Amino acid sequence: MKILIVGSGAREHAIAKALARSPQAPNIYCCGSSNNPGIRALCTEYWVGDVCHIDAIVKQAKLWQIDLAIIGPEAPLEKGLADALWQASIKTVGPTKKLAQIETSKAYARELLQKYQIAGSPLYQIFQDLDKAKDFLHILGENNYVIKADGLMGGKGVKVAGDHLSSLKEAVQFCEELHHQKKTFIIEEKLLGQEFSLLCFSDGKILIPMPLVQDHKRAFIHDEGPNTGGMGSYSDSDHSLPFLTEKDLHEAQKINEDVLHALTRECGEPYIGILYGSFIATKKRRKID
């Protein structure tokens, strides 16, 4: 079997190493944006170029006679790579462009949760208008807000009150900056608690959960410094996390399942790939009139 990995980061390296351990002994191919020696050592062939160049990736996959493609990064999903590969009769792990909005658009994700009354969403509003954004910031109150740029930002599009924004004035300035960039942005209530992730394999019908993990996004130790795309993660020996209960796990899995069903209804297509559930274990959220 010939398997194509799209992407050349640490995520894709982990996928390549897992495939290399498989008793099926597949031939591994890679299309990456840069040369990753760790991945290259496991590959039959390795192509370097723009992984968002859809036609080039599909052409290469056809040339290599790929049986299955696994798309790692979000950006090619946003550009419709999964759609193009399926159209070329290449089975693909990774959602189509329409379904990938759950990952590529924060506004889409929030609106989907609200429309289908899925648990876990904080108080939020979506903005392009600065005056209304200022009003909502004042409603939430000092140190009780998070501002998120919509779209893919490489893990750096979120600013949190008290961590990155020291005052309402700075919050408004960040909103103005996003407004000038003509970006849609979301303002949410700030949640206090422990973040964790529950990723699941999806065949479009059922979800198989992976081990619970907590990742570290800050650049420096002691949760200091700017947000990054990720500085590593950990899971406990029992594949859970020390601050979570069995009830927390079931609730998180239920939310993931509800999202899968909502996406299927909304888009009319099966979600095939990895569903990334990002959570925070908190006290009860406050209510604002």
Side-chain angles (χ1 to χ4, degrees):
M1 189 177 199
K2 295 181 176 181
I3 300 181
L4 170 65
I5 298 173
V6 178
S8 51
R11 179 188 306 175
E12 292 76 38
H13 189 192
I15 293 169
K17 288 181 72 175
L19 290 173
R21 294 194 302 267
S22 169
Q24 280 78 27
N27 292 310
I28 302 170
Y29 296 75
C30 181
C31 288
S33 56
S34 62
N35 178 37
N36 184 319
I39 298 177
R40 183 181 283 276
L42 301 170
C43 284
T44 302
E45 297 283 351
Y46 195 107
W47 174 95
V48 178
D50 183 356
V51 294
C52 289
H53 193 323
I54 306 304
D55 291 342
I57 300 292
V58 173
K59 180 180 178 181
Q60 198 62 49
K62 287 181 176 178
L63 181 66
W64 286 335
Q65 297 181 314
I66 294 298
D67 299 300
L68 174 70
I70 303 173
I71 304 171
E74 293 86 359
L77 295 173
E78 185 180 41
K79 299 296 183 182
L81 178 56
D83 309 60
L85 287 167
W86 278 109
Q87 287 167 11
S89 300
I90 298 171
K91 296 176 181 179
T92 303
V93 178
T96 61
K97 181 177 181 178
K98 189 188 296 186
L99 289 159
Q101 291 178 94
I102 191 66
E103 177 67 26
T104 61
S105 171
K106 300 175 186 72
Y108 179 89
R110 287 287 174 245
E111 296 288 79
L112 186 82
L113 292 177
Q114 180 170 286
K115 179 176 179 179
Y116 290 90
Q117 299 182 327
I118 298 171
S121 187
L123 295 169
Y124 77 94
Q125 286 189 25
I126 299 168
F127 296 99
Q128 290 175 323
D129 183 287
L130 280 175
D131 290 332
K132 291 180 180 178
K134 292 175 186 176
D135 291 341
F136 191 57
L137 283 170
H138 281 94
I139 289 171
L140 290 175
E142 192 71 75
N143 206 39
N144 287 316
Y145 48 82
V146 178
I147 304 172
K148 301 181 177 181
D150 196 29
L152 295 175
M153 300 294 291
K156 305 175 191 69
V158 176
K159 291 199 175 183
V160 181
D163 293 329
H164 313 99
L165 303 168
S166 60
S167 66
L168 280 169
K169 181 180 179 181
E170 288 188 9
V172 171
Q173 288 173 343
F174 183 49
C175 292
E176 289 173 346
E177 179 185 326
L178 296 174
H179 179 69
H180 291 321
Q181 294 172 11
K182 297 185 178 179
K183 284 188 175 294
T184 299
F185 58 96
I186 303 96
I187 299 176
E188 301 179 354
E189 64 171 320
K190 178 180 175 180
L191 301 178
L192 299 177
Q194 291 282 351
E195 294 184 60
F196 66 96
S197 300
L198 179 60
L199 284 73
C200 296
F201 295 102
S202 173
D203 66 356
K205 297 178 181 178
I206 60 172
L207 292 179
I208 303 298
M210 300 183 199
L212 286 158
V213 296
Q214 183 178 56
D215 70 343
H216 299 276
K217 297 184 71 66
R218 296 302 188 86
F220 311 126
I221 62 172
H222 306 307
D223 284 331
E224 294 180 355
N227 272 350
T228 70
M231 298 298 289
S233 61
Y234 84 98
S235 184
D236 214 340
S237 57
D238 61 356
H239 289 172
S240 184
L241 292 165
F243 54 86
L244 292 177
T245 65
E246 196 70 23
K247 182 173 179 286
D248 294 327
L249 171 59
H250 289 313
E251 288 182 355
Q253 180 67 3
K254 176 66 164 57
I255 289 172
N256 279 350
E257 290 170 354
D258 289 345
V259 168
L260 177 68
H261 298 321
L263 283 168
T264 303
R265 288 184 60 188
E266 190 74 9
C267 301
E269 303 173 10
Y271 186 104
I272 299 173
I274 310 301
L275 185 67
Y276 189 124
S278 184
F279 301 92
I280 182 166
T282 69
K283 295 181 180 180
K284 281 190 175 182
R285 75 178 191 184
R286 65 200 183 101
K287 292 184 178 180
I288 297 178
D289 294 328

